[in-house]
Amino acid sequence: MDFTPEEVTLRDDRVVTLRLAAVTDAEALVALEHAVVRALAGVVKHYDEVAPDTAALVRRAGLSLVGAENADGRSFRLVAETGGALVGDVVLTRMPFRMLRHVALLGLGVHPDAQGAGLGRALMASALGHARVLRDADGARITRVELYVRADNARARALYESLGFVTEGVRRAFVRGDDGALVDDLVMGLLFDGD
């Protein structure tokens, strides 16, 4: 898969490089996931449920860890790097069945110290732009991207809506908080038809 690294200046004047993830990023990706989950903002897992080390991350992430080495075109992951540290990532994973290969699931993580500066938007815009032109070995392309977001995560929902995602469904009382409160989860989708 070809992806030319991009430099992006955030609203706080930090310059980040967006590039394909590599095997050598595994340790930094574990640290990033730990930081995102520790912040407990809009996530659906607890700290003790994240990958404890690089071996566990590679086992769990499988194809989504390294886009450049994913020959079947099923998944790619971009990372955002600044000052030698990873501050965000976005992964698009295509559905495994031929009848669903046009659908990709999007996951996004931004380090708490980098939130609110436009990094999530930059990562998503880059990944979606690449997904629009990506073709697998038989020429098939992604025409639908979907994601899931907690209904109480207004900031993330606003970002997704601004990029063209629409709410397509509600998984009622899907997430149980530590206090026992149940929160809806939204299914949001974006169609590339007509591109």
Side-chain angles (χ1 to χ4, degrees):
M1 177 175 104
D2 292 328
F3 181 85
T4 303
E6 304 171 17
E7 282 199 354
V8 176
T9 302
L10 304 180
R11 287 193 297 266
D12 62 6
D13 294 326
R14 273 188 283 185
V15 176
V16 298
T17 300
L18 308 182
R19 60 171 176 78
L20 279 175
V23 171
T24 55
D25 293 320
E27 187 174 324
L29 284 166
V30 170
L32 175 63
E33 183 178 26
H34 282 228
V36 169
V37 172
R38 193 177 298 119
L40 290 177
V43 296
V44 295
K45 57 185 158 185
H46 291 280
Y47 186 73
D48 63 348
E49 296 170 325
V50 300
D53 55 33
T54 57
L57 176 71
V58 171
R59 277 193 308 275
R60 188 194 72 212
L63 293 174
S64 65
L65 176 60
V66 184
E69 296 180 7
N70 180 6
D72 72 357
R74 182 166 166 234
S75 175
F76 70 91
R77 180 183 297 249
L78 301 179
V79 294
E81 183 176 37
T82 186
L86 293 189
V87 291
D89 76 318
V90 61
V91 62
L92 277 169
T93 304
R94 292 172 78 165
M95 300 292 179
F97 306 111
R98 285 191 307 274
M99 293 173 75
L100 302 176
R101 292 270 300 164
H102 65 287
V103 180
L105 180 63
L106 185 141
L108 175 70
V110 176
H111 193 284
D113 293 341
Q115 292 180 4
L119 179 57
R121 175 178 302 283
L123 279 164
M124 286 189 64
S126 184
L128 293 172
H130 191 66
R132 280 177 155 78
V133 299
L134 183 65
R135 301 289 188 270
D136 57 19
D138 65 2
R141 69 183 193 100
I142 295 169
T143 60
R144 173 186 169 78
V145 178
E146 67 180 39
L147 57 82
Y148 312 118
V149 60
R150 288 174 51 151
D152 62 353
N153 192 344
R155 191 160 98 183
R157 288 175 46 206
L159 169 63
Y160 304 148
E161 289 168 357
S162 74
L163 291 167
F165 284 85
V166 297
T167 300
E168 298 178 336
V170 178
R171 300 189 292 185
R172 296 176 299 139
F174 191 74
V175 179
R176 182 183 304 278
D178 288 337
D179 62 357
L182 295 172
V183 177
D184 292 345
D185 196 57
L186 305 180
V187 177
M188 300 186 78
L190 172 68
L191 297 179
F192 291 160
D193 286 343
D195 283 357

